[in-house]
Amino acid sequence: MDWQTFGFKDDPLKTSPITRSTLDLFTGHKEEVSLCQRVLSSRNVRLVIEGARGVGTTSFANYLRFNAEAKKLYFTPRIEIKVEQGWRLETLLSAIISNFIRGIELLENNESIISDKRFIEAKALSSRIAETYRSFGIDVFGFGGSYGQQEGVTQPIIVSSSTLGHHLEDLIHLVQKAGYIHGALFQLNNLDVGEIHNESEMKYILNALRDYTQIDGSNWIFVGDKGLRKFIAQHVDRLDDIISHEVTLNPIAVDDLPEMIERRVKFFRESPKVELPIENEVFTYLYHITQGRLRYVFGLVSRLLNRLYVGELTDKITVDLAKPMLAMLGRDRVKRADITENEENILSYVVNNVPMTASQIAKVVDKSSQYVGRVMTSLVEKKLVSVQRDGRDKFYHPSIDAVIAYSKNL
């Protein structure tokens, strides 16, 4: 979509998280922001932020980090660390240090830091580690780029975690000396149990990292899916004991949605006369379909714009125009997963009777639990349903595309 033809400098519906340069776009969550800012007014903070995918957990954490940095409370790297599947502690610490060094090099008036022997040594070590990883075939410092656990592949350990910890401590002391009162604030993303990390991997990495989160002047934000805080409480006692605060981020209130859209329009438009070619009711409609997951709302609107011509005949996309096109888009995306007729029938039933276990579905469709279990496993692999555990039970939830395609209530 060429947004310049609509009078915008850039895509006002981009789904990338809030950054240092786009803080003005952040909207809502006033109570949560106020509470977390009080927590971040102290030092040696360990903050957990959890929420469903697409509700803005990364943007929320970025907003907190960059505002705290503006007050010189903390130095914080520009990019969060996306913790990949199968990372060892040494890999994570190496990525943190590399990110830290990049951030320091981008600081204005950083001469006193980058000329310090401790910084020079840390950078030299980081460069050597990066070169080894590149030779090994892993772009570990892409901050979430490519590394996943593979059978028979072992990550290279060039430097011990204790040595990396000493360099991390040195860098923290340097930014404190430069005027950042409470030291450094790091953000770890992708801490999603089940979706990205299995339980044993998550337990290992959080347990292994615990001692390094207690380095004086180190402060941490852990960002993950719903259930992260519960997992820490149940499986990582050593970290659980030192968590400062936790926030479960719910979707932005629907009443705040018009303000968010208006902020984006004002930020990206080239003229005060420019308006979005989509009626506000479409955003509200999609908000309810997606349960407030704004990443999906904006993604769906962009897909609508790509499919529906907006010009002299159709100057704005209305709800009546959007509904049939959304259903078509949903069915097209489901069909691309190459599902069978039986899978489609069961998926349609789950959409309109969510949530359900495999045994509950089996009774209704008159199939064996084993058969339904295989069907649900296939639908999970095709990303048309997701699984949430409640004790020993597994409840299945349809994807947003499946809801759009088969819901009888839209």
Side-chain angles (χ1 to χ4, degrees), residues 103-160:
I104 290 173
E105 290 181 321
L106 292 171
L107 276 176
E108 294 182 3
N109 303 317
N110 64 358
E111 291 81 7
S112 63
I113 301 179
I114 64 174
S115 61
D116 191 285
K117 179 182 177 182
R118 290 167 291 181
F119 179 85
I120 294 170
E121 289 177 349
K123 182 177 179 181
L125 178 65
S126 178
S127 298
R128 183 160 63 89
I129 293 171
E131 181 58 37
T132 301
Y133 272 93
R134 278 193 292 271
S135 300
F136 190 72
I138 301 171
D139 184 13
V140 68
F141 300 132
F143 306 111
S146 62
Y147 186 77
Q149 191 176 40
Q150 299 177 37
E151 187 176 354
V153 175
T154 304
Q155 297 169 62
I157 298 176
I158 308 114
V159 182
S160 69

Side-chain angles (χ1 to χ4, degrees), residues 192-196 225-226 293 350 354-358 361 372-373 375-399:
D192 302 339
V193 184
E195 183 67 27
I196 295 177
D225 208 344
K226 278 188 175 180
R293 296 161 80 173
V350 172
V354 65
M356 299 190 77
T357 64
I361 298 169
V372 172
V375 169
M376 299 314 294
T377 298
S378 175
L379 292 175
V380 169
E381 290 174 351
K382 294 172 180 177
K383 300 191 181 301
L384 294 174
V385 298
S386 60
V387 182
Q388 289 184 0
R389 290 185 176 273
D390 185 1
R392 303 175 99 183
D393 293 325
K394 293 195 298 185
F395 288 90
Y396 294 95
H397 297 257
S399 69

Side-chain angles (χ1 to χ4, degrees), residues 306-339:
N306 285 325
R307 294 292 290 267
L308 294 172
Y309 175 73
V310 179
E312 293 181 359
L313 298 180
T314 309
D315 60 347
K316 275 207 172 186
I317 295 178
T318 64
V319 171
D320 289 339
L321 190 62
K323 283 183 177 181
M325 180 56 69
L326 282 168
M328 185 186 305
L329 287 171
R331 289 181 184 272
D332 284 348
R333 287 173 69 87
V334 169
K335 287 178 182 176
R336 286 194 205 112
D338 195 26
I339 64 174

Side-chain angles (χ1 to χ4, degrees), residues 229-267:
R229 183 65 184 91
K230 180 180 178 181
F231 178 85
I232 292 172
Q234 292 179 341
H235 300 283
V236 198
D237 291 343
R238 297 175 70 246
L239 182 59
D240 178 47
D241 292 340
I242 60 173
I243 294 296
S244 307
H245 185 66
E246 59 278 330
V247 174
T248 298
L249 202 66
N250 293 314
I252 185 176
V254 68
D255 291 341
D256 289 332
L257 189 57
E259 179 188 349
M260 171 176 279
I261 296 166
E262 182 61 20
R263 285 191 182 206
R264 286 172 170 262
V265 170
K266 287 182 178 179
F267 190 88

Side-chain angles (χ1 to χ4, degrees), residues 94-107:
S94 298
I96 291 169
I97 290 171
S98 175
N99 196 14
F100 200 172
I101 289 169
R102 286 187 188 181
I104 290 173
E105 290 181 321
L106 292 171
L107 276 176

